[in-house]
Short mmCIF file of all heavy atoms in Angstrom, two decimals:
data_model
loop_
_atom_site.label_atom_id
_atom_site.label_comp_id
_atom_site.label_asym_id
_atom_site.label_seq_id
_atom_site.Cartn_x
_atom_site.Cartn_y
_atom_site.Cartn_z
N ASN A 119 -10.69 -10.65 -17.31
CA ASN A 119 -10.59 -10.44 -15.87
C ASN A 119 -9.13 -10.27 -15.44
O ASN A 119 -8.22 -10.71 -16.13
CB ASN A 119 -11.22 -11.60 -15.11
CG ASN A 119 -12.67 -11.82 -15.49
OD1 ASN A 119 -13.40 -10.87 -15.77
ND2 ASN A 119 -13.09 -13.08 -15.50
N ALA A 120 -8.93 -9.65 -14.28
CA ALA A 120 -7.59 -9.46 -13.74
C ALA A 120 -7.66 -9.40 -12.22
O ALA A 120 -8.69 -9.01 -11.66
CB ALA A 120 -6.96 -8.18 -14.30
N SER A 121 -6.56 -9.79 -11.59
CA SER A 121 -6.46 -9.75 -10.13
C SER A 121 -5.28 -8.89 -9.73
O SER A 121 -4.23 -8.92 -10.39
CB SER A 121 -6.30 -11.16 -9.55
OG SER A 121 -7.41 -11.97 -9.86
N PHE A 122 -5.42 -8.15 -8.63
CA PHE A 122 -4.35 -7.30 -8.12
C PHE A 122 -4.33 -7.34 -6.60
O PHE A 122 -5.33 -7.69 -5.95
CB PHE A 122 -4.55 -5.84 -8.57
CG PHE A 122 -4.45 -5.63 -10.05
CD1 PHE A 122 -5.60 -5.63 -10.84
CD2 PHE A 122 -3.23 -5.42 -10.67
CE1 PHE A 122 -5.53 -5.43 -12.21
CE2 PHE A 122 -3.14 -5.23 -12.04
CZ PHE A 122 -4.30 -5.23 -12.81
N ILE A 123 -3.18 -6.96 -6.05
CA ILE A 123 -3.03 -6.75 -4.62
C ILE A 123 -2.60 -5.30 -4.42
O ILE A 123 -1.71 -4.81 -5.13
CB ILE A 123 -1.98 -7.70 -4.01
CG1 ILE A 123 -2.35 -9.16 -4.24
CG2 ILE A 123 -1.80 -7.42 -2.52
CD1 ILE A 123 -3.52 -9.65 -3.43
N ALA A 124 -3.20 -4.61 -3.46
CA ALA A 124 -2.86 -3.22 -3.19
C ALA A 124 -2.30 -3.08 -1.78
O ALA A 124 -2.82 -3.68 -0.83
CB ALA A 124 -4.07 -2.32 -3.36
N LEU A 125 -1.26 -2.27 -1.67
CA LEU A 125 -0.67 -1.96 -0.36
C LEU A 125 -1.35 -0.74 0.25
O LEU A 125 -1.59 -0.70 1.46
CB LEU A 125 0.84 -1.70 -0.51
CG LEU A 125 1.59 -1.15 0.71
CD1 LEU A 125 1.41 -2.05 1.92
CD2 LEU A 125 3.07 -0.97 0.37
N ASN A 126 -1.64 0.27 -0.54
CA ASN A 126 -2.26 1.50 -0.04
C ASN A 126 -3.76 1.54 -0.31
O ASN A 126 -4.56 1.54 0.62
CB ASN A 126 -1.61 2.74 -0.67
CG ASN A 126 -0.62 3.40 0.25
OD1 ASN A 126 -0.25 2.86 1.29
ND2 ASN A 126 -0.17 4.58 -0.12
N GLU A 127 -4.12 1.61 -1.61
CA GLU A 127 -5.53 1.75 -1.91
C GLU A 127 -5.83 1.42 -3.37
O GLU A 127 -4.94 1.38 -4.21
CB GLU A 127 -6.03 3.17 -1.61
CG GLU A 127 -5.60 4.23 -2.60
CD GLU A 127 -4.32 4.93 -2.21
OE1 GLU A 127 -4.21 5.34 -1.05
OE2 GLU A 127 -3.42 5.05 -3.06
N PHE A 128 -7.11 1.23 -3.61
CA PHE A 128 -7.67 1.13 -4.95
C PHE A 128 -8.67 2.27 -5.12
O PHE A 128 -9.46 2.56 -4.22
CB PHE A 128 -8.39 -0.21 -5.12
CG PHE A 128 -9.40 -0.24 -6.24
CD1 PHE A 128 -8.98 -0.34 -7.56
CD2 PHE A 128 -10.76 -0.14 -5.97
CE1 PHE A 128 -9.90 -0.34 -8.60
CE2 PHE A 128 -11.69 -0.15 -7.00
CZ PHE A 128 -11.26 -0.26 -8.33
N THR A 129 -8.61 2.95 -6.27
CA THR A 129 -9.60 3.99 -6.54
C THR A 129 -10.24 3.76 -7.90
O THR A 129 -9.62 3.25 -8.83
CB THR A 129 -8.99 5.41 -6.51
OG1 THR A 129 -8.00 5.54 -7.54
CG2 THR A 129 -8.37 5.70 -5.16
N LEU A 130 -11.49 4.15 -7.99
CA LEU A 130 -12.25 4.13 -9.23
C LEU A 130 -12.77 5.54 -9.45
O LEU A 130 -13.48 6.08 -8.61
CB LEU A 130 -13.39 3.11 -9.12
CG LEU A 130 -14.33 2.91 -10.31
CD1 LEU A 130 -14.90 1.49 -10.30
CD2 LEU A 130 -15.49 3.91 -10.28
N LYS A 131 -12.42 6.13 -10.60
CA LYS A 131 -12.83 7.50 -10.90
C LYS A 131 -13.37 7.58 -12.33
O LYS A 131 -12.99 6.78 -13.19
CB LYS A 131 -11.65 8.47 -10.76
CG LYS A 131 -11.14 8.65 -9.34
CD LYS A 131 -10.01 9.66 -9.30
CE LYS A 131 -9.50 9.89 -7.90
NZ LYS A 131 -8.38 10.88 -7.88
N GLY A 132 -14.20 8.58 -12.56
CA GLY A 132 -14.71 8.82 -13.90
C GLY A 132 -13.74 9.65 -14.72
O GLY A 132 -13.05 10.51 -14.18
N VAL A 133 -13.70 9.39 -16.02
CA VAL A 133 -12.86 10.16 -16.93
C VAL A 133 -13.63 11.33 -17.52
O VAL A 133 -13.12 12.44 -17.63
CB VAL A 133 -12.31 9.26 -18.06
CG1 VAL A 133 -11.55 10.07 -19.09
CG2 VAL A 133 -11.41 8.17 -17.47
#
Side-chain angles (χ1 to χ4, degrees):
N119 302 325
S121 299
F122 295 94
I123 301 289
L125 171 56
N126 259 11
E127 74 268 311
F128 160 77
T129 62
L130 180 153
K131 293 182 179 180
V133 174

